[in-house]
Amino acid sequence: MTDTTTAQARHVYHAWDRCARERDTEGLLALYTPDAILETPLIPAVLDVSVGVLQGHATLRHFFEEGGRRRPNPLVRWYREPDRYGFDGSRLTWEYPRAAPGGDQIGLVEVMDLDAGRIRHHRIYWDWFGFGRLLESARKKWAPMP
């Protein structure tokens, strides 16, 4: 793993949020190493898979494209406090808090292990509010047909 500068981490912090909001799949992929890992409970909700882990640009592309098609979503507001993130030289973290100025949103914590300024391993942790929404979605998706 190669060191990441504070400037590179700041770039990832701003660029990831911007590309995700704009549904810019190629811009997002450019932030990840070719063999990057993404872990989130949203993966099984969006794709027809049972595991919340993807690896490599091809699978990430499919997830970002499909996830983008499912927005807008009223609970995805993308509010976060400007420039409030943590970086320790290799790990970048920030929060999209549940309680936001415009009302509740899905609360998430983004954790990214960076390698030379690119995301090598990305984990997204959901709060109780967001997890409840995922659970409702899963129940509907996998409910037995009458």
Side-chain angles (χ1 to χ4, degrees):
M1 205 135 103
T2 307
D3 288 344
T4 296
T5 67
T6 301
Q8 288 172 316
R10 185 179 306 107
H11 169 74
V12 170
Y13 172 78
H14 290 290
W16 192 93
D17 182 76
R18 183 182 82 272
C19 291
R21 285 175 191 268
E22 295 172 0
R23 299 180 199 132
D24 178 359
T25 298
E26 295 309 313
L28 282 169
L29 289 173
L31 298 171
Y32 289 82
T33 62
D35 62 341
I37 297 169
L38 172 64
E39 296 184 51
T40 173
L42 187 58
I43 292 168
V46 170
L47 304 178
D48 192 22
V49 297
S50 60
V51 177
V53 181
L54 298 173
Q55 184 169 15
H57 277 198
T59 59
L60 293 177
R61 176 179 281 107
H62 180 57
F63 175 73
F64 293 148
E65 288 172 347
E66 186 58 35
R69 278 191 277 279
R70 294 170 185 239
R71 293 196 333 256
N73 178 320
L75 295 175
V76 179
R77 293 195 179 92
W78 301 97
Y79 170 78
R80 63 183 185 171
E81 294 179 47
D83 290 316
R84 186 163 187 178
Y85 60 90
F87 179 64
D88 67 2
S90 63
R91 182 166 291 153
L92 174 65
T93 60
W94 72 83
E95 175 188 25
Y96 293 98
R98 180 193 52 78
D104 285 346
Q105 67 178 359
I106 293 174
L108 305 170
V109 174
E110 306 277 351
V111 179
M112 299 173 175
D113 294 332
L114 303 182
D115 186 355
R118 294 175 74 197
I119 304 163
R120 176 164 300 286
H121 195 163
H122 182 185
R123 295 166 306 284
I124 305 173
Y125 298 103
W126 289 57
D127 73 347
W128 66 270
F129 181 72
F131 184 75
R133 305 292 93 54
L134 276 177
L135 196 54
E136 287 173 21
S137 174
R139 285 183 181 139
K140 289 176 187 172
K141 184 176 182 178
W142 292 305
M145 298 301 256

